Amino acid sequence: MRALVLSGGGGLGAYQVGALEHMIGVVQVPYQLIVGVSVGSVNGSEVAMWPIGQEAEASKSLSEMWKTLSTDDVVDPHFLQPAALAWKPSTHSFSPLEKLLHERLDMDRMRSSGRGFHAVAVDVVSGDFRIYDQGCEKADLVRGILASSATPILHPNVRTYGADGAIEEVIYDGGIRDVSPLRQAIALGATEIDLILTQSPKLSKWDPKTDRIWNTALRVFEVMFRELVENDLDRVELYNAAVESRHPKGVGKRIVKLRVLRPSDPLPGDAARFDKDQTADIMAIGRKDAECQDW
């Protein structure tokens, strides 16, 4: 089983779109499984609606969606944000993205496409992963993709309630635990994984003289996310090593071939922005990088 795994990255998810223009639009790799987190779950859901054998059409549909996408199509800032955090759980509403997903998702097409689709989120009450797939009802899958995309503070969480009305789950971006959900793809049976990251191995330039809390917090998050990415990749190497050495943890498991595509330098632009110029520039980088690899 060959799987496509898509990381998070907000507006930088345009890198995945450009890369897929080559990987599925030109090479036409027939992915049987798609696993995404955050913006990767949005991109993955679009590809997953197209049957195996219609890779070029899937790529074209995804690219056309992004070329018209604006920030207003994704989030709606609350009045007086960030002061709105005093009475709201986030600075932005996901109402525009929720509307977009309801308009684009076709569950019948996804269920008959021959591809598995899984969006990964995390319940911060238990710390456990929550997986949403094409077996869900449409409303539940939309909620799952929104949860998978919900960055704490910026975006609203998704909650579930018990029979007594008590909160049981508070679900956020799967990137809290796995920026690249490789373990889920392996657990679902993938033997080959193509991972598209939006995070470079290098940190972006940063001016330490700018000591505003927001600027520093963004830098801290960048360092944390880079570490999560590297840990995700190391985990696959350890997994394969356990299988090869016949370690008890590798018994009954299989070697997983992993191909990783990521930008060599930090991508230009802002992950919180979705606009035509930024999208075009980042897509071009993703397309060029994908053309340099053997798929």
Side-chain angles (χ1 to χ4, degrees):
M1 181 190 293
R2 190 164 179 177
L4 174 65
V5 174
L6 301 171
S7 77
L12 306 184
Y15 180 83
Q16 298 171 349
V17 181
L20 290 172
E21 284 186 339
H22 179 73
M23 294 162 63
I24 62 175
V26 177
V27 182
Q28 299 191 13
V29 179
Y31 294 108
Q32 299 154 287
L33 173 65
I34 301 172
V35 183
V37 65
S38 195
V39 72
S41 68
V42 177
N43 288 339
S45 67
E46 185 72 22
V47 174
M49 288 189 292
W50 293 88
I52 292 177
Q54 293 187 18
E55 279 68 35
E57 290 87 346
S59 172
K60 181 179 179 181
S61 179
L62 180 63
S63 296
E64 288 179 347
M65 179 182 78
W66 270 80
K67 288 174 182 176
T68 62
L69 205 60
S70 70
T71 304
D72 291 342
D73 295 320
V74 180
V75 293
D76 182 19
H78 291 308
F79 181 64
L80 292 179
Q81 64 89 13
L85 288 172
W87 63 89
K88 289 184 178 291
S90 63
T91 60
H92 293 71
S93 164
F94 256 159
S95 295
L97 179 58
E98 183 176 12
K99 179 182 177 182
L100 180 69
L101 290 170
H102 271 292
E103 289 174 350
R104 298 193 70 90
L105 281 180
D106 185 323
M107 300 305 298
D108 290 336
R109 286 178 55 203
M110 185 179 287
R111 290 168 183 152
S112 62
S113 70
R115 309 180 198 270
F117 170 70
H118 300 259
V120 180
V122 171
D123 169 27
V124 296
V125 175
S126 65
D128 295 334
F129 287 110
R130 293 291 177 264
I131 311 296
Y132 303 86
D133 59 28
Q134 67 266 54
C136 295
E137 294 297 323
K138 181 175 181 177
D140 292 332
L141 183 57
V142 168
R143 280 168 50 85
I145 295 173
L146 292 175
S148 179
S149 305
T151 302
I153 300 177
L154 296 179
H155 309 128
N157 56 59
V158 171
R159 300 186 174 199
T160 63
Y161 298 85
D164 60 355
I167 297 172
E168 292 188 339
E169 298 176 317
V170 178
I171 309 172
Y172 275 112
D173 190 333
I176 292 173
R177 284 193 60 182
D178 279 352
V179 177
S180 50
L182 293 166
R183 72 175 88 184
Q184 286 77 16
I186 293 172
L188 290 164
T191 54
E192 293 184 64
I193 298 175
D194 293 344
L195 167 65
I196 309 180
L197 295 166
T198 61
Q199 297 81 14
S200 165
K202 302 176 185 177
L203 290 172
S204 62
K205 292 181 180 180
W206 183 67
D207 182 4
K209 295 179 181 178
T210 306
D211 59 354
R212 298 293 184 269
I213 185 62
W214 186 249
N215 182 61
T216 303
L218 289 174
R219 183 61 167 189
V220 170
F221 279 123
E222 183 182 359
V223 173
M224 291 171 58
F225 283 141
R226 188 182 71 162
E227 187 65 20
L228 284 171
V229 168
E230 301 309 321
N231 288 341
D232 291 343
L233 299 178
D234 289 345
R235 188 180 294 116
V236 176
E237 289 187 10
L238 291 172
Y239 172 92
N240 283 337
V243 176
E244 288 179 332
S245 65
R246 298 186 180 181
H247 186 278
K249 290 187 176 181
V251 173
K253 297 178 181 178
R254 64 214 172 275
I255 294 290
V256 175
K257 183 176 181 180
L258 176 64
R259 305 175 188 85
V260 181
L261 181 69
R262 66 193 305 189
S264 56
D265 295 302
L267 291 169
D270 182 350
R273 283 176 50 216
F274 297 78
D275 65 54
K276 295 178 182 179
D277 291 339
Q278 175 175 294
T279 292
D281 291 343
I282 295 176
M283 282 178 60
I285 296 171
R287 187 164 51 248
K288 183 178 178 180
D289 286 354
E291 289 170 351
C292 295
Q293 287 207 27
D294 182 11
W295 302 102

